[in-house]
Amino acid sequence: MQMLQHRVADWDNAYANGDNIAGSNRWPAAWDTPAQAFRDTMSASGRAKLDIAYGDSPRNRLDLFLPDVMPKGLVVFIHGGYWKAFDNKPWSHLANGAVANGFAVAMPTYTLCPDIRISGIVREIAAAIGKAATMVGGPVILTGHSAGGHLASRMVTTTTPLAADVAGRIRNVVSISGVHDLRPIMRTGMNATLAIDEAEALAESPALLRPMDGARITCWAGGGERAEFLRQNALLANIWIGLGATTSTVVEPDRHHFSIVDGLADPTHPLTRTLLAE
């Protein structure tokens, strides 16, 4: 009998994506050109509504991309960046898969740490989803990448800040490389910026919360992810299935933390099909 013991010795390295992906200096610039081209095309056809205010803070803005037919529903994509980097603009082209299938796609920007706590970002994202839901009818589908995966899954917990009527419209969630337990992040150097404490970790970690009734979530990661992201990916699905949610876990081969989102730009990719599944 062989027994394997596991221990994380370097928490910063465990959550360092760029340092562990060959050619990672291509990103995020590699997203900028297709994102700008998509916005230009959608704007030229009158199907992009950009920088819509959903709150009072300067970064409380969202972009809404519309299909060329009456929308079948609303997809919300929440960007990552460890709650402290980026805005919605580099990811615009990822709306293409859902838009081509007849869905409207909202992409919010939110205030970044240290100007806000993660709990505040959670409330901002709820406000963004609420605003977009007033503009598009039908089911609401949530997805997000990395920190955005955390924020998407946080919306379908029993302590969600979403209004009841909006929460009741949520059909599906796909958390892409999501961070579902915030406690390990407290051990990293980035917590000097994030300022997560034990109380916030317990209150805002989806893996430590109960899913709302009827929650359905897919946890999707790349085969080339850091071990901690693969563990976090399996963790939420494993816990929530025991709490009554419908869950699934996917590890997509030959994808790493940056390339894992590319499937959303393809109308026929399994990631897009999973997101939009009824």
Side-chain angles (χ1 to χ4, degrees):
M1 182 178 68
Q2 184 180 22
M3 181 175 67
L4 298 177
Q5 292 183 325
H6 301 276
R7 177 177 178 272
V8 177
D10 185 342
W11 289 98
D12 287 306
N13 185 58
Y15 283 90
N17 291 299
D19 292 345
N20 292 286
I21 296 172
S24 65
N25 59 343
R26 292 181 52 228
W27 289 277
W31 292 314
D32 290 339
T33 297
Q36 183 66 60
F38 181 81
R39 285 196 303 277
D40 291 345
T41 298
M42 295 295 286
S43 295
S45 64
R47 294 192 288 135
K49 299 181 183 297
L50 306 180
D51 299 317
I52 300 166
Y54 68 82
D56 296 331
S57 297
R59 290 177 61 93
N60 289 171
R61 300 290 183 269
L62 65 84
D63 292 344
L64 182 67
F65 302 105
L66 299 167
D68 58 5
V69 296
M70 179 69 71
K72 298 176 182 178
L74 171 69
V75 172
V76 181
F77 174 87
I78 308 164
H79 73 82
Y82 278 129
W83 308 274
K84 63 184 182 66
F86 303 132
D87 60 21
N88 59 353
K89 299 303 184 186
W91 327 90
S92 301
H93 60 295
L94 301 182
N96 184 64
V99 167
N101 279 284
F103 286 80
V105 177
M107 293 189 164
T109 291
Y110 47 86
T111 307
L112 300 175
C113 297
D115 294 333
I116 194 172
R117 296 186 67 92
I118 288 176
S119 56
I121 298 175
V122 168
R123 292 190 295 271
E124 288 192 348
I125 290 300
I129 295 168
K131 174 66 175 182
T134 67
M135 303 177 71
V136 180
V140 175
I141 300 168
L142 306 180
T143 187
H145 175 232
S146 197
H150 158 266
L151 294 164
S153 53
R154 175 67 178 85
M155 293 299 117
V156 291
T157 64
T158 54
T159 56
T160 181
L162 289 173
D165 59 332
V166 177
R169 289 170 55 186
I170 296 177
R171 185 171 81 187
N172 192 25
V173 178
V174 177
S175 176
I176 305 169
S177 303
V179 180
H180 304 124
D181 182 355
L182 299 179
R183 291 173 299 177
I185 306 301
M186 295 168 61
R187 295 173 175 261
T188 69
M190 75 180 91
N191 204 43
T193 299
L194 302 177
I196 305 168
D197 57 24
E198 187 74 9
E200 186 170 50
L202 295 175
E204 302 299 345
S205 296
L208 306 180
L209 301 173
R210 288 186 172 273
M212 65 173 59
D213 290 344
R216 183 176 73 166
I217 189 166
T218 298
C219 298
W220 190 294
E225 300 264 11
R226 305 294 290 149
E228 269 295 277
F229 280 92
L230 292 171
R231 186 186 68 82
Q232 291 259 8
N233 193 61
L235 177 69
L236 183 65
N238 189 21
I239 291 175
W240 275 16
I241 197 170
L243 298 175
T246 300
T247 78
S248 57
T249 306
V250 176
V251 177
E252 185 178 354
D254 303 319
R255 298 280 183 171
H256 54 64
H257 192 74
F258 299 148
S259 63
I260 189 63
V261 292
D262 292 347
L264 291 176
D266 181 349
T268 64
H269 192 278
L271 179 55
T272 301
R273 294 203 305 267
T274 298
L275 182 68
L276 304 181
E278 296 186 9

